[in-house]
């Protein structure tokens, strides 16, 4: 009987995955026709085929399959984003990236928390916990957007790098505030900064080491004996980078991002792949990233809990509006404007104000708070889902339009 039940579960899962692939491919085609980033269409598609609408797909947020897709998908998409970055550009804007991914997260959390306190009437510490959960941006959303919308290099690379680095800061801030809220600890700025520094350094070192090793094995003139297996090496190295950092209690996502940067800039170290092998690897990465992106956002849409959102939808919408229109602009102008090395234009900063999508990382933090029965966890999860819907559907879908209006689109 147990074997029969397992086979039925496997069949149901396989059917669900087949439906997601088929429907997601059509959704991507639609996104291409109407010229908006596909993540927004995937999210709507997920809501439509999820258990609260048509009921085609039933893959729970707590299921092992969902967790594997989110974990590996976010890692792989982040690797893909890192591979598009160039050292020459990062050298110009690294100060802005560091400040906005650290101090910027605190500013965003503070302003959003203050708004939540007054709008929702919740205790200040719970409001700050909500602000911290929403403060980090989402690389799984932003990387695909900039793959499809060709924005000026330094702007796109700054926003993608920020999203890769601020997840560690967001998590540290969230759990530091949670310790205060539950009475199990006290907030220490020094301890938080040291924790962030430790996570960052370990994550960066893990990414550098594995990135160099992968480049050596697939692109070195004499040692590239795995060149024809470059796609497999890449898959293994993404997983290895994540778990190497995670096993050392550092940010796995930061490690895979740095790994991507190293592999994408392998020519800088004197490594160069043959044209045919390089094209094969590029096509593999693009296809794999597309499939994972499709699964992540359709499943995220299918798991939106409208019953949970119902109680807080009005206040939550107001809080997210403050996040989008007040907290984010204040963060960008306070963190980027003083960077005289980068010399940001008003148009560039305005664009960065509008690109701060909430997605997989804040959703994961909200899920952890629910599982831990943290103070206000139901409310935090509700507002987080509202933020995901509002930022992806409104901001992601208008990215190309705003880039064009501000004169930031690159010519193909």
């Amino acid at each position: 009987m147990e074997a029969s039940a397992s086979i039925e579960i496997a069949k149901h899962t396989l059917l669900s995955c087949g439906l997601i692939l088929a429907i997601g491919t059509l959704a991507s085609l639609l996104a291409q026709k109407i010229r908006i980033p596909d993540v927004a269409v995937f999210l709507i598609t997920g809501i439509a085929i999820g258990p609260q609408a048509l009921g085609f797909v039933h893959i729970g947020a707590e299921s092992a399959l969902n967790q594997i897709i989110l974990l590996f998908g976010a890692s792989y998409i982040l690797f893909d984003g890192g591979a598009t970055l160039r050292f020459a550009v990062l050298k110009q804007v690294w100060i802005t990236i560091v400040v906005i991914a650290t101090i910027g997260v605190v500013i965003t959390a503070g302003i959003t928390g203050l708004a939540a306190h007054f709008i929702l009437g919740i205790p200040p510490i719970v409001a700050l916990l909500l602000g911290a959960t929403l403060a980090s941006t989402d690389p799984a959303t932003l990387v695909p957007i900039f793959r499809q919308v060709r924005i000026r290099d330094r702007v796109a690379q700054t926003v993608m790098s920020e999203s890769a680095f601020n997840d560690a800061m967001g998590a540290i801030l969230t759990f530091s505030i949670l310790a205060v809220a539950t009475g199990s600890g006290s907030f220490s700025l020094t301890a938080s900064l040291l924790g962030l520094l430790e996570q960052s350094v370990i994550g960066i070192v893990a990414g550098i080491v594995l990135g160099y090793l992968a480049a050596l094995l697939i692109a070195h003139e004499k040692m590239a004996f795995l060149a024809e297996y470059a796609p497999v090496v890449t898959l293994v190295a993404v997983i290895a980078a994540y778990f190497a950092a995670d096993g050392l209690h550092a940010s796995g996502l930061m490690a895979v991002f740095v790994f991507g940067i190293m592999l994408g800039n392998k020519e800088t170290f004197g490594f160069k792949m043959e044209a045919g092998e390089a094209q094969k690897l590029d096509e593999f990465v693009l296809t794999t990233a597309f499939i994972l992106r499709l699964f992540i956002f359709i499943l995220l849409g299918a798991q939106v809990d409208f019953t949970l959102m119902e109680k807080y939808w009005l206040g939550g919408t107001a809080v997210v509006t403050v996040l989008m229109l007040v907290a984010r602009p204040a963060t960008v102008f306070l963190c980027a404007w003083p960077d005289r090395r980068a010399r940001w234009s008003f148009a560039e900063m305005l664009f960065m104000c509008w690109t701060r999508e909430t997605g997989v990382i804040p959703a994961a933090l909200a899920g952890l708070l629910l599982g831990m029965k943290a103070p206000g966890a139901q409310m935090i999860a509700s507002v987080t889902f509202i933020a995901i819907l509002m930022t992806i559907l409104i901001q992601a879908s208008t990215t190309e339009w705003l880039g064009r209006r501000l004169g930031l689109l690159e010519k193909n």
Side-chain angles (χ1 to χ4, degrees):
M1 289 293 289
E2 284 185 15
S4 176
S6 298
I7 291 172
E8 287 305 313
I9 292 170
K11 285 180 178 178
H12 175 265
T13 304
L14 186 59
L15 177 61
S16 295
C17 291
L19 281 171
I20 290 171
L21 270 175
I23 296 170
T25 302
L26 293 175
S28 178
L29 184 62
L30 174 64
Q32 204 173 49
K33 294 292 183 185
I34 59 178
R35 297 182 63 79
I36 66 171
D38 56 19
V39 291
V41 180
F42 289 154
L43 191 69
I44 296 171
T45 302
I47 293 170
I49 67 174
Q52 298 199 30
L54 296 174
F56 291 165
V57 172
H58 294 268
I59 297 176
E62 70 290 340
S63 69
L65 176 63
N66 184 68
Q67 296 302 320
I68 290 169
I69 289 169
L70 287 183
L71 187 60
F72 180 64
S75 298
Y76 198 83
I77 288 169
L78 202 46
F79 151 73
D80 180 31
T84 67
L85 306 193
R86 292 294 169 262
F87 286 146
V89 178
L90 293 176
K91 195 183 295 184
Q92 294 178 7
V93 299
W94 71 268
I95 294 174
T96 296
I97 293 168
V98 170
V99 175
I100 204 169
T102 52
I103 297 170
V105 172
V106 177
I107 294 170
T108 301
I111 295 173
T112 307
L114 189 65
H117 172 60
F118 287 109
I119 293 170
L120 298 172
I122 55 178
I125 193 69
V126 177
L128 279 175
L129 190 58
L130 170 62
T133 304
L134 295 176
S136 58
T137 55
D138 186 50
T141 309
L142 289 162
V143 169
I145 288 173
F146 290 116
R147 268 286 194 185
Q148 294 174 286
V149 181
R150 304 301 298 171
I151 297 295
R152 187 177 296 169
D153 262 358
R154 71 193 211 120
V155 179
Q157 295 191 21
T158 298
V159 175
M160 284 193 288
S161 300
E162 175 207 353
S163 71
F165 291 122
N166 68 15
D167 75 287
M169 182 64 183
I172 289 171
L173 189 62
T174 299
F175 290 112
S176 297
I177 294 170
L178 178 62
V180 178
T182 57
S184 60
S186 58
F187 177 74
S188 168
L189 180 62
T190 305
S192 294
L193 289 175
L194 285 174
L196 177 67
L197 183 63
E198 182 184 357
Q199 286 199 30
S200 300
V201 170
I202 294 172
I204 289 168
V205 169
I208 288 173
V209 170
L210 283 158
Y212 188 86
L213 183 61
L216 194 71
L217 295 175
I218 67 175
H220 189 271
E221 187 178 354
K222 295 179 180 178
M223 300 178 66
F225 60 91
L226 293 178
E228 62 182 299
Y229 300 103
V232 181
V233 173
T234 301
L235 282 176
V236 173
V238 167
I239 296 169
Y242 180 89
F243 282 104
D246 190 64
L248 295 168
H249 306 290
S251 171
L253 293 179
M254 188 179 294
V256 296
F257 183 70
V258 173
F259 165 67
I261 295 174
M262 290 292 291
L263 201 59
N265 289 273
K266 57 187 176 295
E267 291 82 5
T268 308
F269 311 110
F271 301 149
K272 189 173 182 181
M273 297 181 72
E274 292 182 14
E277 297 294 345
Q279 184 180 354
K280 185 170 74 174
L281 178 60
D282 286 345
E283 288 172 354
F284 173 82
V285 171
L286 280 172
T287 303
T288 310
F290 166 74
I291 292 170
L292 290 168
R293 180 167 80 244
L294 179 155
F295 268 94
I296 284 175
F297 287 96
I298 288 182
L299 286 176
L300 195 60
Q303 290 154 13
V304 171
D305 191 337
F306 288 100
T307 307
L308 187 64
M309 288 167 54
E310 188 177 358
K311 184 178 177 183
Y312 298 100
W313 74 270
L314 190 59
T317 300
V319 170
V320 176
T321 301
V322 172
L323 169 68
M324 292 166 61
L325 301 182
V326 180
R328 176 62 177 183
T331 298
V332 169
F333 278 92
L334 287 172
C335 296
W337 180 74
D339 185 0
R340 293 293 177 242
R341 183 189 180 94
R343 296 182 180 178
W344 296 106
S345 68
F346 181 76
E348 289 172 327
M349 288 192 290
L350 199 60
F351 181 84
M352 287 192 286
C353 290
W354 192 243
T355 46
R356 61 92 43 237
E357 282 78 350
T358 304
V360 175
I361 304 303
L365 285 174
L368 286 171
L369 294 178
L370 270 176
M372 298 165 69
K373 294 182 170 53
Q378 293 275 344
M379 176 274 300
I380 291 170
S382 175
V383 178
T384 300
F385 273 126
I386 292 167
I388 290 168
L389 290 174
M390 287 181 65
T391 57
I392 292 180
L393 296 182
I394 297 171
Q395 292 182 317
S397 60
T398 54
T399 299
E400 185 173 8
W401 172 83
L402 183 63
R404 186 179 295 107
R405 289 296 299 267
L406 293 173
L408 300 178
L409 286 186
E410 295 275 21
K411 293 179 181 177
N412 292 327

